[in-house]
Amino acid sequence: MLTSRLAKLSDKSRIFDLYKRVSMNIGGIARTKDEITEDYISVNLKNSMNTGVSLVIENEDATKIIAEIHCYKIIPKVFSHILSELTIVVDADYQKRGLGKLLFKNLLAIVEEERNDILRIELIARESNLKAIQFYKNLGFKIEGRFENRIHNLNNSFEADIPMAWFNKNYKK
């Protein structure tokens, strides 16, 4: 049975490999393969470990990371009650097995149980990704608006980004 765990700095190269694999699939992640750099992974991992949460799932023999989720605090301090920049990736060979749900449930549980300094977790979903939007709603995220024409698709069309937030019932000022 696959389980999630907190990410470690030593996971960086395997997270990088995961993001490269996922970026090759259209709709797998907003970034293209050439936008996935070691620096991009390092910054996300360090920020998540310092101020947020990063979880990974390894394959059965622990040779590959097959799923990852992260979010972290953003600057300035007026946003110190928020985890943002949320990204989740699941290897195409392991999709439809509940790994995304497992990562989200564990992320939300960690925030509820251990992070009473966090009021909200934010994410943004592409308007055409109705399945993801419904998935996030089922986890307790609320739609907070629309960013019209924010995404410039490869086919030269535009679509909205849908900002969503989940609220921590255990937040303490």
Side-chain angles (χ1 to χ4, degrees):
M1 179 175 194
L2 299 172
T3 60
S4 72
R5 64 166 174 79
L6 291 171
K8 303 177 286 195
L9 281 177
S10 59
D11 293 324
K12 184 178 89 170
S13 66
R14 293 188 304 150
I15 293 171
F16 175 72
D17 292 342
L18 168 66
Y19 272 67
K20 282 291 196 183
R21 289 191 310 273
V22 171
S23 68
M24 292 190 293
N25 301 320
I26 294 174
I29 188 171
R31 291 183 183 272
T32 59
K33 185 178 178 184
D34 61 317
E35 293 173 308
I36 305 298
T37 64
E38 289 187 24
D39 284 342
Y40 168 73
I41 299 301
S42 290
V43 167
N44 286 332
L45 187 57
K46 287 176 185 171
N47 286 342
S48 299
M49 291 178 69
N50 290 336
T51 68
V53 179
S54 178
L55 298 170
V56 297
I57 299 174
E58 296 173 308
N59 64 344
E60 294 81 354
D61 63 2
T63 56
K64 290 194 316 189
I65 290 178
I66 57 172
E68 188 264 353
I69 190 170
H70 70 264
C71 54
Y72 52 86
K73 290 184 178 183
I74 55 173
I75 300 171
K77 283 187 178 183
V78 297
F79 300 126
S80 65
H81 61 289
I82 300 169
L83 292 181
S84 193
E85 302 299 320
L86 190 145
T87 303
I88 182 168
V89 293
V90 178
D91 187 302
D93 292 340
Y94 291 86
Q95 290 184 0
K96 301 196 186 313
R97 296 188 191 185
L99 300 182
K101 187 175 186 178
L102 174 65
L103 285 173
F104 261 103
K105 286 192 177 253
N106 290 345
L107 170 69
L108 299 178
I110 287 169
V111 171
E112 276 188 341
E113 295 165 15
E114 302 173 21
R115 297 296 304 269
N116 64 1
D117 63 314
I118 300 301
L119 172 61
R120 59 187 278 141
I121 297 176
E122 301 174 336
L123 61 80
I124 301 174
R126 179 184 296 252
E127 76 175 313
S128 62
N129 197 346
L130 299 176
K131 186 176 175 185
I133 292 169
Q134 188 58 53
F135 172 71
Y136 302 142
K137 283 181 174 180
N138 291 343
L139 291 168
F141 283 80
K142 307 286 184 220
I143 292 177
E144 295 193 314
R146 292 174 67 83
F147 297 138
E148 292 295 340
N149 297 322
R150 187 160 189 246
I151 297 175
H152 188 192
N153 293 312
L154 295 176
N155 67 2
N156 216 23
S157 66
F158 290 90
E159 65 178 302
D161 248 348
I162 308 300
M164 301 180 77
W166 172 88
F167 292 88
N168 182 4
K169 65 183 179 191
N170 294 326
Y171 172 72
K172 291 186 175 61
K173 292 181 186 179

